[in-house]
Amino acid sequence: MVGNRRGEASRAALLAAGKAAFSSDRYEEVSIVDLARSLGVAAGSISYHFGGKRGFYLAVLEQAAEEFWGYLLAMRGPALDRLNRGIDRLLDEAEYQPRAFEALFADVADAEVRQIRDRHRDRVTDALVVEVSQSASSPVLRAAISGFVSFIEGLVLHWMRTRAIGRDQVKELVVGTMFGTILAALRTDPSIELTQRAIDAALADPRALAFLGSLSTMSTTTE
């Protein structure tokens, strides 16, 4: 039991150090020998826990994705507030851990990294679909939300690489695009039923007036 706890603690310390290393340097720039030495452990401990540098790198990315998306999925409170907090967290990740962020969200040739990204992207898409609609089985809504998640990733990558727009402008674009995405899905599939959470979010945000007006027009037209 003591040995297991020590092993888990050693693995956790290595992952934390790996996250810091891969967040500031590219994969090929990180030396696992130097990393292990900085922690006062043998380089072989990385091979023992992760099978080598490659397995270590993938484990670090998996944990980073799990921590971030797990944080988003665990948030509580009004939908719009959670969306804004989630965007802030995403921007923090991009700003302070740029290499890890790019590894997960940029277009990558690495199939295993894409698999990590896509698995967690699907989790968030599922959660957003349920958040938005009572008719969660709508393929139109799922396609729209999946595209919205990809849009966020691309927008934040553009922001972190260019800083051509401000952080608040990024948030405005995300929230506005969320309402636009839902509206486009409703126009395409009028059978989609919004949850009360989604309606409350629209009512709470002055930027959603056009969104609500469009919904009213759609309701009048379909009656």
Side-chain angles (χ1 to χ4, degrees):
M1 184 68 71
V2 173
N4 287 341
R5 286 199 297 270
R6 285 178 179 169
E8 290 170 4
S10 174
R11 190 177 191 278
L14 287 169
L15 285 172
K19 183 177 180 181
F22 290 121
S23 291
S24 58
D25 298 316
R26 298 186 186 280
Y27 174 81
E28 60 273 11
E29 297 171 338
V30 174
S31 164
I32 60 174
V33 173
D34 292 343
L35 187 65
R37 186 180 296 122
S38 71
L39 293 173
V41 299
S45 61
I46 291 178
S47 295
Y48 173 77
H49 287 291
F50 306 102
K53 183 178 179 179
R54 170 70 178 174
F56 180 49
Y57 175 66
L58 292 174
V60 167
L61 291 183
E62 175 65 48
Q63 177 167 287
E66 180 62 40
E67 287 178 354
F68 175 70
W69 295 122
Y71 167 82
L72 294 190
L73 294 173
M75 286 194 301
R76 296 293 180 266
L80 198 59
D81 176 62
R82 282 182 282 125
L83 178 61
N84 278 291
R85 282 188 286 141
I87 299 166
D88 274 325
R89 177 65 179 263
L90 186 63
L91 293 174
D92 286 343
E93 293 285 329
E95 191 164 11
Y96 300 115
Q97 302 181 59
R99 298 299 188 197
F101 186 91
E102 286 207 33
L104 277 173
F105 297 117
D107 289 332
V108 292
D110 192 318
E112 289 180 292
V113 173
R114 283 203 313 274
Q115 187 177 40
I116 293 171
R117 179 191 64 187
D118 291 347
R119 183 169 63 254
H120 289 280
R121 179 187 284 171
D122 286 345
R123 287 176 62 198
V124 173
T125 298
D126 289 341
L128 285 173
V129 167
V130 172
E131 183 78 24
V132 167
S133 175
Q134 300 177 50
S135 46
S137 61
S138 168
V140 168
L141 180 63
R142 181 171 180 81
I145 295 295
S146 178
F148 170 67
V149 173
S150 297
F151 164 78
I152 295 175
E153 295 168 359
L155 175 63
V156 175
L157 279 169
H158 174 81
W159 171 77
M160 66 179 284
R161 289 169 175 171
T162 69
R163 299 303 172 97
I165 62 175
R167 185 178 176 117
D168 287 342
Q169 289 175 307
V170 173
K171 294 173 69 174
E172 288 286 330
L173 283 169
V174 171
V175 175
T177 301
M178 180 65 180
F179 286 124
T181 297
I182 296 170
L183 176 58
L186 286 166
R187 287 186 180 279
T188 306
D189 181 2
S191 69
I192 296 171
E193 297 179 41
L194 295 181
T195 62
Q196 190 60 48
R197 292 186 299 274
I199 295 171
D200 290 343
L203 290 171
D205 195 306
R207 292 167 292 187
L209 291 177
F211 169 75
L212 291 172
S214 297
L215 286 183
S216 299
T217 302
M218 287 172 58
S219 298
T220 303
T221 302
T222 56
E223 287 176 359

